[in-house]
Amino acid sequence: VHGRSVIPGMDEYDAVVANILVGQLSRPSMVATLALGTKVGGALCLSGIRPDQCAVLERLYAPYYDVAEKTFRDPDDFGKEYWGSWARLVLTRKDADRRELLERISDGAIM
């Protein structure tokens, strides 16, 4: 399901993948939207991020997720200068108050 076709809070999925740069992943409304879209116990995979950005994302997502896996990848010699290193975080959704999540989306929309 593409993000543009999702209405936050309407559907929950066992697995959600977000290959988005850290700027968007860090927005409170994005954190809440992804949390609402992931079933409790489900997995959220965050990619498109750099290894040094993982700690910030872990802290932002901690109220709603536990870290299940962290993977770091260095490209081969050809891509090292062009792409640099990348990371992937796989998080497991905790139970959270849906009302609070919906309020975070609304607050983010008017900020």
Side-chain angles (χ1 to χ4, degrees):
V1 177
H2 191 278
R4 290 189 179 110
S5 65
V6 173
I7 299 171
M10 293 297 291
D11 295 309
E12 294 181 321
Y13 300 93
D14 294 320
V16 175
V17 177
N19 185 25
I20 308 171
L21 296 174
V22 72
Q24 292 300 313
L25 290 172
S26 299
R27 295 178 63 180
S29 59
M30 178 64 76
V31 174
T33 298
L34 292 171
L36 282 167
T38 310
K39 287 182 182 178
V40 173
L44 170 63
C45 176
L46 302 178
S47 60
I49 55 177
R50 302 289 186 183
D52 62 335
Q53 298 168 333
C54 288
V56 169
L57 291 173
E58 287 176 50
R59 190 171 55 253
L60 290 170
Y61 284 77
Y64 313 109
Y65 292 92
D66 290 317
V67 176
E69 178 186 330
K70 264 192 270 197
T71 305
F72 303 104
R73 184 171 191 282
D74 289 322
D76 58 23
D77 289 335
F78 173 75
K80 190 169 261 180
E81 286 185 38
Y82 184 74
W83 290 294
S85 298
W86 291 95
R88 178 184 67 211
L89 286 175
V90 178
L91 310 172
T92 303
R93 173 77 155 71
K94 301 187 238 183
D95 198 9
D97 181 14
R98 290 181 56 79
R99 171 168 277 189
E100 175 193 335
L101 289 167
L102 288 167
E103 287 173 1
R104 288 192 72 179
I105 291 172
S106 297
D107 289 344
I110 58 173
M111 296 178 98

